[in-house]
Amino acid sequence: MKRLPLDDSFKVNRNPVTLREIVLDKLRSAIMNFQLLPGDRLVERDLCDRLGVSRTSVREALRHLESEGLVEFADAKGPRVAIITLEDAGDIYELRCVLEGLIVQLFTCAPRPRTSRPWKKPWKRTARRSPKASCSR
């Protein structure tokens, strides 16, 4: 009997995504899609039952979401979905405007050779007109 060569279907496929990351993604998307509303209490046992995972996975995901600002831990009441105030929203958009402006400035000051062609001439004209537009590096 002749041995056949092993092909790629014989290989074991490893899933690089951990259970904690899956739980984190599920909870994050539930918050972002308003399945969990701002101010809702997040009872670990209920989340474990709904997600079908251990409390450890849920706790780790909740701590991560706390670091992202999506979950708050109250003193004795446990975790809840964070409530974003009007002031918080203003701060977020202010920061976003600054970052987007910086991204545009960095892209136009040091573009890659392949992508620079369409931006090269308009940027030079803008740089000559505007005293703020400088690319000193």
Side-chain angles (χ1 to χ4, degrees):
M1 181 178 268
K2 192 171 184 177
R3 183 181 310 228
L4 295 174
L6 297 175
D7 59 358
D8 286 340
S9 65
F10 187 71
K11 221 179 226 183
V12 174
N13 292 327
R14 295 183 185 192
N15 191 357
V17 181
T18 64
L19 183 61
R20 177 186 151 303
E21 291 171 333
I22 294 169
V23 171
L24 178 63
D25 288 340
K26 294 280 186 187
L27 288 174
R28 185 185 296 118
S29 89
I31 292 169
M32 300 304 281
N33 294 326
F34 297 105
Q35 294 168 322
L36 297 170
L37 297 174
D40 279 356
R41 286 193 58 226
L42 300 171
V43 181
E44 287 179 6
R45 287 184 184 150
D46 293 343
L47 293 173
C48 292
D49 292 341
R50 290 166 95 183
L51 294 166
V53 295
S54 69
R55 287 179 77 177
T56 303
S57 298
V58 170
R59 281 186 190 141
E60 289 175 356
L62 289 174
R63 288 294 175 191
H64 190 94
L65 290 171
E66 180 187 27
S67 73
E68 291 180 7
L70 294 174
V71 170
E72 302 170 337
F73 279 82
D75 296 332
K77 295 183 180 180
R80 69 177 183 150
V81 178
I83 299 171
I84 297 177
T85 64
L86 188 58
E87 184 181 338
D88 293 337
D91 291 344
I92 290 167
Y93 280 105
E94 184 179 342
L95 180 62
R96 184 176 175 178
C97 287
V98 171
L99 290 174
E100 286 177 357
L102 180 62
I103 289 168
V104 169
Q105 184 180 3
L106 290 173
F107 176 78
T108 54
C109 287
R112 293 188 178 112
R114 193 172 68 194
T115 59
S116 66
R117 289 185 188 103
W119 293 96
K120 206 171 200 173
K121 288 180 183 176
W123 175 251
K124 285 183 179 178
R125 280 184 295 213
T126 306
R128 275 186 255 134
R129 289 184 204 149
S130 173
K132 291 182 181 178
S134 65
C135 292
S136 57
R137 283 194 166 199

